[in-house]
Amino acid sequence: MHHIYCPYCEEMREEEEYSYTGEAHIERPKDPAAISDDAWADYIFFRSNPRGIHHEMWYHAAGCRRYFNATRDTQSYKVHETYKMGEMPTITAATIAAAAASEQGDAS
Amino acid sequence: MSQVNRLASGGRIDRSKPMSFTFNGKTYQGFDGDTLASAMLANGVGIVGRSFKYSRARGILGHGAEEPNALMQLHKGKETIPNPRATQVELFDGLTATSTNGWPSAEFDLMSLMGKIGGMMMPPGFYYKTFMAPQKMWMTYEKFIRKAAGFGKLSLEADPDTYDKINAHCDVMVVGAGPAGLAAALEAGRSGKRVIIVDEQNEFGGTLLASTQTVDGIDAAAWAEQATSDLKGMDNVLVMPRTTAFGYYDHNFVVALERRTDHIGPVAETGTRQRLHRIRAHQVILATGAIERPLVFGNNDLPGIMLSNSVSTYINRYAVVPGQRCVVMTTNDSGYQTALDIQAAGRTVVAVVDSRHTPDGRLVQAAKAAGIQVMAGSGIIEALGSKHVTGAIVAPLDEAGDNVVGAGKTLSCDLIAVAGGWSPVVHLSCHTGSRPVWKDDVAGFIPGPTIQNQHLAGAVTGEYLLSEALNSGAQAGATASDTTSAQTFDCGDESTGASQALYLVPHTKPISRAPKQFVDFQNDVTAAGIELAAREGFQSIEHVKRYTAMGFGTDQGKTGNINGMAIVAKTMNKSIAETGTTIFRPAYTPVTFGAIGGRDVGELLDPARHTAMHPWHLANGAEFENVGQWKRPWYFPQAGETMQQALNRECLAVRNSVGMLDASTLGKIDIQGKDAREFLNRVYTNAWTKLAPGKCRYGLMLKEDGMIFDDGVTACLSDSHFLMTTTSGGAAAVLGWLELWHQTEWPDMEVYFTSVTDQWATCSFAGPNSRKVLEKLCTDVDLSADAMKFMDWREGTVAGIKARIFRISFTGELSFEVNVPADQGHYMWKKLMEAGEEFGITPYGTESMHVLRAEKGFIIAGQDTDGSMTPYDCLMGWAVGKTKEFSFLGERSFSRPDTARTDRKQLVGLKPKDPTVVIPEGAQIVMDPNQPIPMDMMGHVTSSYWSECLGHGIAMGTVKGGSDRMGETVYCPLADGRVLAAEICSPVFYDPKGDHHND
C-alpha cells in the first residue's frame, strides 16, 4: 500500500485515502469541433503506458478532496514527488536519465 | 508412553509444568515450553504424516517455519485448524492433533502402495499428461485426485474466534529477534527512536536459545534474556513475540500477525485470538536469519533424517535427543557442532560424514579430540529403512562431489543429521519486487537492491558467525537511527573452515534410476523430476518451478528451493547465478482469513446506509434491497401477500389514488458560485442558461465519449445556487467528476460543490390524490395546477417544518417531493402517512418504482444504460442542447463515425406476444430464432416487469436499429429452451400523452 504526500494537506497519508485517476497533464482540446475524429479519439481513449516514470493524478477522496499530481515509477512504485494541480513536475524521465549519465561520467 | 527421548536435565522447558496431549488418538506427555514437535520427538513419535503425492512416511525434519512434513490437523470441530506446522505449535495441556493424511492411518497407509507401484506413472506434470481423455471423465478423476492428495480440512462452521487489527507507525521496525535483531533494536532503542521489534517465536533470542556459545562472556541464552528485558524496559520500544511479519509492502509497510492465545487453548476465552498489525516504518531492518538446507540423496525423506541444527536445537533448547545412534552428514563445519551436542547428551555419534576431503576447522578438531570418527571426502548416497531410518550407505566422492569413486559402506543408525549449508531468509525483501542476488562466497542468495528504506543484519546477508550477526545488527540499528557509533561484541574464537557448495549427493546409479532423492518434501519433487522437466524443455527456473510444483507448498520451498535451483543449473550446464531464483509473495507463513477480516465481518463487513425513515420501514414490514451501500425498501408486503401481489397493490394504489416512496438515497449536490450556471451548461447535455429560480430541469450527464453516465433533476435556487440530484449509486462518482473538471480543467470558474445527500430526507408521493394530501399539511404555498406547474419547486412549511417542495415525477402521475432536514424526515413521513390515510396512501418500494417508470419509458442510468448508450440511443435527443455555446462534455463524440451509425442499438419497448409472460431481464434478442448458432444477437432486454395497470408484461431493451423496427416481432431464446416472442413498440406503454402528470 503506497504512502503518498498530499501537497494540500502537507502530510504523508495512506493510499486508502486516495483514488488513482489516470494520466496527468492531459488538456481538453479548446475547440473540439475543430479537431479531427482521430485527434478527438486520441484524447478520449489513448493513454501512455510507460515502464518507468509516469505522471499521474490522484484524488484525496477521503481527505481534502483535492486532485494533485504525482511522478511515480510504474516498475519500482517509487513516488518521486507529488505536486499541486496546475504545476509541472520537477522530476521526469529525462532529468533522471541526465542525472544517471552525469553520474556515470563522474565515475569513469 | 514415556518420554524416551527426553534428557534428564537441561533445556528451556519447565519440568514443573507437565502437559498431556494426544496425537492420532494416543496420549502423550510433554512440558510447558515444548512445541508439539519437540514433545512428539521426546515421546519417540516417528511418522507424523504421509507425503503429498507418493504417500511416503514422513517425520519431523526441522524445528521452525521451514518444516515441510509435520503439518497437523489441530483441535476439533469448529475450532479445528488445518496445516499448522507442529514445530510452530506451542504445547498446552489437552492439545489434540492428528495427521492430515494417511489412510487408514499415517502409520499404515494404503496409498503408499499406490506410491510405490504407481510412482513411475506420476512424474512431474503427470496430471497434464494423464487423465486427459475422455474429457468428460475429468470431473470424476478430479474427485479422486482431490481425495487422495491434499492436507488438512477446514471446518464448515463459523470461526468461533474474533480477530482485530491495529495500525502503527514507528521510526525503526526490526524483523527478527535473534542476535542480529536484538543488537539492532538495542542500538535503535537507546538512540531514542520509536522501535517495534517482532519475532515469530514465543521467546526472543532465535539461535541464541540453543547455542552453547558466549557473548561478552555471558551464556548466549542468558544474554538473550537480558537483551529482551532491556528492550522491554525502554518506553520507546514495542516488543512483540509470537508475531510474524509476513508481508513487506510498498514504502515500508509491514504487516505482522500477532498470535495472542493460540498457545493457551483452541479458542480465545476472552478477547481476540489474533491481531493484525499494519505498520508504517521509516526504516526497516531485516534480521530474518538463515535456514539450514538438507542434502539431496537417495531416500533422504525417511523419518529420522533431520536438519543438523534442528537436532542441536532439540537437544539444547528442548532437552530432546531424537535418536540413539546418529550419523551426521555435512558439507561445512556446522555439522560438527551437532555431533558434539549429541555426544554431550550421552548418545552415540557413529560418524561425521564430510563431503570435503580435508576439513580441519576448529570444530572439526574439537570433534576429533572428543573421539568422534570423521569420514572425509564421503557422502551418504542412500538412506535405508522403510518407516524409519535404520542405516546409511556412505561412499567416497570425488573433490567436486559429482561422482561416487569407491565402494559404499553401510552404517547402522536411527538418526541422520544433515548439514547441507545455509540459505538466507530473503522472503520479505522480495515482496516488493526486488530479486535476490547470488553470492558465490556465501553459496546462497542474499537480498537484492531495493528502493525501500531497508537495512539488513546478520545471517540474512550470509554472515553466519554469532559475532558477525551481533555486530552487523548493532551497525544496522545505528545506521537506521542516524547515530554513528555502534556497540561491538566478543564471542571468542569462531574460526571456521571453508564450506563446500554441494546440493545433490551422487548415487552409483544415474538420477533417473536411483532411489528417490527428494528436493521438495512437501510437494514430493525429486531430483529425477527436475531433470525430467529440463529434458522436456523447461529452461526457465520459473517454468521448472511451475511444472514440477517445486516451492509451491505452504512452506514456499524453504528447505527445497536452493537445492532445486542448483540441480536445474547443473542439468542445463549453467551457474546458479545464471539460473536465478524464483521470488516470494506474502505470506511468509500461512495467515488465517479471520485475521485478515478482523472485525470487518458479519454485520460490519460493509457499512449499511439507512435513511431517516428506516425505523418506520422496519416497523411496517418492508423487505429491503441493497442499492450500493443503502438499504432501500424493496416492497412492503402485507400479511399473506406474495411479492407480486404486493407490487400489484402498490402500483395500482399509485395510479388510482396515492403512494409514497422514500427517495432520500438519491445523491444531492449543492452547487454554488457565480459560475455555477455555466458549469452546469458544460457538464450536462441540456441548456441551463434560462432556467429561472423556482424551476427544475432533468439533466443528462455524459462522459467525453458521448455515453450516458448519470442523470437527475437539478433545481435552480438562485442565479448562483443550484441543487443537483444524481442516481443513488452514482452520487460519489458524480461529485468526483464535477471536482475533476473544476480542479483540473476550469479552475478559474468560481463554483463550489457540497454533498448534501445525507442532510436532506425526501418523501416522494405520487397519484391523482397527491395534491390533496399535501394541501392538508401545507397552507403557505399555492399548490394549484396553475400556480405550481410541473417542474416547479417552492419553499414552504409542511406539517410545521420548513421544507422544499418539488413538483417532479418519475411515475408519470401527479407527484410531489418534500425535502426536509434529515433529522425531521421520519416525522415528515409519518405526518404524510397520517394525512394520506383517508386516501388509502400506500408506501411503495424500489420494485414498484421500477415498474411505474418503465410503464412510462423512463430509463434508469445503470440499468437501461451501461456506458455504451448515447442520449440518441435512448430516444432522448430532446435533452441535447443544439445551440449551446460551450462544447459540453461528450458533445464532440456524437459525430464520431461509430457514434453516428444509424444501426446502433436503440432503446425500444417490448410487448410480449403472450400477455401473461414476463421476459427475463438480460435475455438476448434475435430476429430469427431458427438460425444456426452462433445467432446474430440484436440486443438484449434491460428492464422487464409485470404491469398490473396494463394487464400484461412489459419490457424495455436495446435493439440494433430499433427505432426503425416498430411493429416487428423479435425473439428471446432462453437457456431453458423456451423462446419468447415480443413486438417492438414505443417504451411509453402508459398514458403516452402525459396527461396524468400534467394535472
Side-chain angles (χ1 to χ4, degrees):
Chain A
M1 177 164 70
H2 287 37
H3 207 207
I4 304 172
Y5 185 78
C6 174
Y8 294 100
C9 295
E10 292 181 352
E11 263 188 48
M12 296 290 291
R13 305 297 300 179
E14 300 294 333
E15 185 185 334
E16 291 163 328
E17 294 188 11
Y18 300 103
S19 178
Y20 168 77
T21 41
E23 191 177 344
H25 305 301
I26 295 174
E27 211 182 312
R28 187 182 202 247
K30 287 288 180 273
D31 189 0
I35 68 176
S36 69
D37 284 335
D38 277 348
W40 180 253
D42 208 71
Y43 154 68
I44 307 175
F45 299 120
F46 286 87
R47 294 291 179 266
S48 58
N49 184 23
R51 170 194 277 199
I53 296 299
H54 187 232
H55 303 286
E56 55 196 38
M57 296 193 291
W58 286 81
Y59 175 44
H60 200 178
C64 62
R65 287 202 295 115
R66 305 291 307 255
Y67 284 86
F68 60 91
N69 298 308
T71 301
R72 188 177 69 97
D73 187 310
T74 60
Q75 202 171 9
S76 69
Y77 288 10
K78 178 171 177 160
V79 179
H80 289 269
E81 61 179 348
T82 55
Y83 49 105
K84 292 180 177 173
M85 193 51 61
E87 293 175 357
M88 293 303 285
T90 61
I91 299 171
T92 65
T95 63
I96 290 183
S102 79
E103 227 181 79
Q104 279 192 348
D106 287 344
S108 63
Chain B
M1 197 175 172
S2 60
Q3 301 185 49
V4 292
N5 288 333
R6 182 79 71 184
L7 296 169
S9 63
R12 299 181 70 72
I13 49 168
D14 186 349
R15 293 166 201 272
S16 75
K17 296 198 183 122
M19 292 170 162
S20 272
F21 68 99
T22 63
F23 171 61
N24 284 347
K26 266 165 102 167
T27 305
Y28 303 93
Q29 304 297 315
F31 295 108
D32 184 32
D34 264 327
T35 60
L36 176 57
S38 65
M40 287 160 85
L41 287 171
N43 284 276
V45 170
I47 298 178
V48 296
R50 290 281 167 163
S51 72
F52 184 62
K53 199 159 82 172
Y54 303 123
S55 279
R56 288 168 70 101
R58 290 286 168 79
I60 295 165
L61 179 79
H63 67 283
E66 76 285 355
E67 175 59 36
N69 296 330
L71 301 188
M72 298 284 109
Q73 188 76 37
L74 267 199
H75 319 320
K76 289 182 183 308
K78 59 179 186 279
E79 298 158 357
T80 195
I81 302 170
N83 303 335
R85 298 145 296 289
T87 51
Q88 292 196 301
V89 172
E90 288 183 64
L91 193 69
F92 60 82
D93 193 43
L95 183 148
T96 54
T98 55
S99 302
T100 53
N101 53 13
W103 186 84
S105 73
E107 282 287 330
F108 300 103
D109 178 61
L110 290 182
M111 279 301 294
S112 62
L113 282 178
M114 169 76 165
K116 280 197 181 87
I117 303 165
M120 279 198 318
M121 299 199 302
M122 292 197 287
F126 78 98
Y127 20 81
Y128 305 124
K129 299 165 186 160
T130 54
F131 309 122
M132 292 309 282
Q135 212 179 3
K136 63 180 193 276
M137 282 296 290
W138 171 245
M139 288 316 290
T140 313
Y141 298 141
E142 199 254 1
K143 253 196 295 234
F144 285 104
I145 292 173
R146 199 174 274 282
K147 259 208 178 92
F151 292 111
K153 292 187 174 23
L154 279 179
S155 163
L156 296 181
E157 298 180 74
D159 189 327
D161 277 305
T162 52
Y163 305 79
D164 57 15
K165 299 185 205 180
I166 191 165
N167 296 331
H169 296 81
C170 65
D171 296 314
V172 180
M173 169 105 201
V174 180
V175 180
L182 286 170
L186 283 168
E187 204 66 44
R190 287 182 197 127
S191 77
K193 295 290 185 188
R194 294 171 303 156
V195 179
I196 297 177
I197 173 168
V198 299
D199 193 285
E200 61 186 355
Q201 298 200 51
N202 62 327
E203 262 194 281
F204 276 10
T207 52
L208 295 167
L209 300 174
S211 169
T212 51
Q213 289 185 267
T214 59
V215 180
D216 291 341
I218 306 168
D219 280 343
W223 185 89
E225 282 171 23
Q226 183 60 54
T228 304
S229 164
D230 289 348
L231 288 171
K232 283 185 179 163
M234 296 184 201
D235 282 337
N236 54 321
V237 177
L238 178 61
V239 166
M240 292 204 288
R242 297 192 175 99
T243 304
T244 306
F246 65 82
Y248 184 173
Y249 305 92
D250 295 295
H251 310 164
N252 274 8
F253 184 62
V254 178
V255 185
L257 181 69
E258 179 193 0
R259 287 171 293 283
R260 310 182 71 227
T261 68
D262 287 86
H263 60 289
I264 299 173
V267 124
E269 296 297 325
T270 61
T272 58
R273 173 182 160 218
Q274 296 177 355
R275 174 171 295 152
L276 205 71
H277 294 262
R278 305 163 84 232
I279 302 163
R280 189 66 78 178
H282 281 294
Q283 308 289 333
V284 171
I285 299 177
L286 295 180
T288 48
I291 287 171
E292 194 168 39
R293 287 191 293 276
L295 284 164
V296 182
F297 53 86
N299 292 330
N300 63 332
D301 66 324
L302 278 168
I305 303 180
M306 301 177 64
L307 293 172
S308 175
N309 91 105
S310 297
V311 174
S312 287
T313 301
Y314 285 116
I315 293 172
N316 295 330
R317 187 170 167 189
Y318 300 101
V320 172
V321 192
Q324 306 295 320
R325 293 175 54 80
C326 176
V327 173
V328 175
M329 164 84 226
T330 187
T331 62
N332 58 83
D333 282 9
S334 296
Y336 290 88
Q337 183 59 58
T338 303
L340 291 165
D341 291 335
I342 291 170
Q343 198 188 56
R347 304 293 190 264
T348 307
V349 179
V350 176
V352 176
V353 179
D354 196 325
S355 62
R356 300 170 296 175
H357 281 245
T358 51
D360 65 352
R362 174 182 50 92
L363 285 169
V364 180
Q365 313 286 13
K368 284 180 177 167
I372 292 171
Q373 185 196 7
V374 174
M375 298 170 72
S378 304
I380 298 180
I381 65 171
E382 184 179 327
L384 303 169
S386 62
K387 289 194 174 160
H388 199 89
V389 68
T390 56
I393 302 177
V394 177
L397 309 174
D398 59 12
E399 280 271 359
D402 288 337
N403 300 289
V404 175
V405 294
K409 177 180 170 178
T410 300
L411 304 176
S412 110
C413 59
D414 64 352
L415 171 65
I416 300 179
V418 184
W422 295 90
S423 302
V425 177
V426 301
H427 305 60
L428 261 54
S429 75
C430 298
H431 288 173
T432 53
S434 163
R435 297 204 86 91
V437 168
W438 178 260
K439 309 247 10 240
D440 276 327
D441 56 348
V442 166
F445 285 97
I446 68 167
T450 178
I451 62 148
Q452 312 301 332
N453 290 334
Q454 177 193 101
H455 310 264
L456 305 168
V460 73
T461 62
E463 294 175 330
Y464 299 130
L465 300 183
L466 180 56
S467 54
E468 285 176 329
L470 291 160
N471 290 335
S472 72
Q475 193 55 60
T479 311
S481 312
D482 291 318
T483 57
T484 44
S485 68
Q487 192 181 359
T488 56
F489 302 85
D490 176 18
C491 302
D493 181 7
E494 291 196 276
S495 55
T496 310
S499 313
Q500 179 174 23
L502 181 69
Y503 310 93
L504 168 68
V505 183
H507 196 272
T508 47
K509 298 190 181 132
I511 289 177
S512 52
R513 299 243 175 277
K516 286 188 168 44
Q517 303 157 313
F518 285 88
V519 174
D520 182 316
F521 294 98
Q522 200 168 105
N523 275 20
D524 268 352
V525 180
T526 60
I530 292 173
E531 262 207 343
L532 177 67
R535 264 207 319 276
E536 292 193 2
F538 293 95
Q539 302 282 293
S540 153
I541 191 66
E542 299 285 356
H543 288 153
V544 172
K545 170 188 174 178
R546 284 154 180 81
Y547 191 61
T548 61
M550 175 180 90
F552 258 45
T554 63
D555 62 341
Q556 284 191 320
K558 288 178 173 64
T559 51
N561 277 4
I562 303 302
N563 286 337
M565 277 154 215
I567 294 170
V568 171
K570 194 115 180 253
T571 313
M572 300 197 304
N573 262 318
K574 286 191 187 163
S575 69
I576 295 181
E578 284 170 319
T579 307
T581 175
T582 54
I583 60 173
F584 303 93
R585 282 192 255 256
Y588 176 68
T589 45
V591 174
T592 183
F593 270 99
I596 294 168
R599 297 293 190 158
D600 304 323
V601 294
E603 275 184 16
L604 300 180
L605 177 65
D606 213 14
R609 295 177 78 177
H610 297 160
T611 69
M613 290 77 110
H614 194 75
W616 192 96
H617 302 323
L618 280 174
N620 285 273
E623 289 291 332
F624 290 87
E625 73 158 341
N626 296 333
V627 181
Q629 290 170 336
W630 291 101
K631 298 289 185 199
R632 297 195 71 181
W634 193 20
Y635 60 102
F636 289 83
Q638 288 179 350
E641 271 187 334
T642 63
M643 180 176 175
Q644 192 60 55
Q645 286 168 335
L647 299 177
N648 295 346
R649 177 178 50 76
E650 289 175 7
C651 290
L652 286 178
V654 171
R655 296 262 181 245
N656 293 334
S657 181
V658 58
M660 186 156 68
L661 172 81
D662 180 351
S664 308
T665 63
L666 271 68
K668 299 180 270 300
I669 302 174
D670 185 288
I671 303 176
Q672 298 189 34
K674 72 174 181 21
D675 296 319
R677 200 182 276 283
E678 171 59 18
F679 193 89
L680 291 175
N681 272 334
R682 297 186 185 189
V683 301
Y684 272 140
T685 59
N686 36 5
W688 296 82
T689 313
K690 298 210 188 100
L691 188 72
K695 291 283 195 193
C696 311
R697 182 161 289 162
Y698 171 77
L700 206 50
M701 205 175 275
L702 313 180
K703 288 268 171 93
E704 284 277 56
D705 60 358
M707 307 297 158
I708 294 171
F709 118 82
D710 206 84
D711 66 354
V713 171
T714 294
C716 178
L717 274 50
S718 82
D719 272 329
S720 61
H721 194 181
F722 292 81
L723 180 67
M724 173 188 281
T725 67
T726 73
T727 60
S728 298
V734 171
L735 181 61
W737 179 250
L738 299 176
E739 291 285 7
L740 174 71
W741 287 98
H742 180 224
Q743 292 183 31
T744 68
E745 201 65 51
W746 310 313
D748 296 331
M749 295 182 81
E750 192 185 311
V751 58
Y752 308 91
F753 311 98
T754 311
S755 165
V756 294
T757 304
D758 295 315
Q759 278 63 31
W760 293 95
T762 305
C763 301
S764 171
F765 47 101
N769 288 323
S770 54
R771 182 183 287 116
K772 292 181 188 149
V773 174
L774 190 54
E775 276 168 344
K776 286 171 74 171
L777 296 176
C778 173
T779 52
D780 59 359
V781 176
D782 184 351
L783 298 166
S784 66
D786 290 324
M788 183 138 183
K789 296 190 171 51
F790 180 58
M791 296 302 261
D792 279 358
W793 81 272
R794 298 280 180 271
E795 206 172 85
T797 313
V798 182
I801 298 170
K802 197 136 165 250
R804 288 180 181 157
I805 306 163
F806 298 80
R807 189 184 156 188
I808 51 185
S809 178
F810 196 40
T811 57
E813 297 301 323
L814 174 66
S815 168
F816 296 87
E817 286 191 10
V818 172
N819 278 18
V820 290
D823 57 354
Q824 284 150 347
H826 189 183
Y827 175 76
M828 179 57 64
W829 178 276
K830 285 195 297 189
K831 296 307 283 184
L832 284 162
M833 285 299 297
E834 222 174 82
E837 200 182 326
E838 63 172 290
F839 305 105
I841 190 167
T842 302
Y844 69 97
T846 52
E847 192 67 19
S848 291
M849 178 211 26
H850 279 193
V851 178
L852 294 164
R853 63 88 201 180
E855 287 170 347
K856 292 295 295 179
F858 296 139
I859 59 158
I860 285 182
Q863 166 124 3
D864 305 292
T865 71
D866 60 0
S868 71
M869 307 281 285
T870 67
Y872 299 99
D873 297 337
C874 293
L875 313 177
M876 290 202 290
W878 56 264
V880 178
K882 306 292 187 293
T883 58
K884 293 173 71 171
E885 203 185 304
F886 190 92
S887 181
F888 58 84
L889 299 181
E891 184 186 37
R892 174 62 180 81
S893 290
F894 293 149
S895 52
R896 292 184 62 236
D898 188 68
T899 326
R901 273 186 300 124
T902 49
D903 66 338
R904 284 178 64 82
K905 287 184 185 171
Q906 289 146 2
L907 184 75
V908 297
L910 294 161
K911 190 169 166 187
K913 289 284 192 187
D914 177 348
T916 65
V917 147
V918 176
I919 309 172
E921 284 174 358
Q924 293 296 310
I925 294 169
V926 303
M927 301 311 294
D928 170 14
N930 300 314
Q931 64 183 289
I933 288 169
M935 297 190 177
D936 250 334
M937 288 175 285
M938 302 298 285
H940 70 284
V941 174
T942 59
S943 294
S944 181
Y945 314 96
W946 172 255
S947 168
E948 185 69 1
C949 299
L950 299 166
H952 61 82
I954 58 169
M956 290 158 73
T958 65
V959 174
K960 274 188 201 161
S963 298
D964 293 329
R965 291 180 181 276
M966 291 294 133
E968 289 184 34
T969 303
V970 294
Y971 301 87
C972 298
L974 303 181
D976 63 6
R978 289 182 293 152
V979 177
L980 304 177
E983 181 189 307
I984 295 181
C985 58
S986 159
V988 187
F989 293 93
Y990 176 79
D991 180 30
K993 291 211 201 87
D995 293 329
H996 285 233
H997 72 72
N998 284 331
D999 281 344

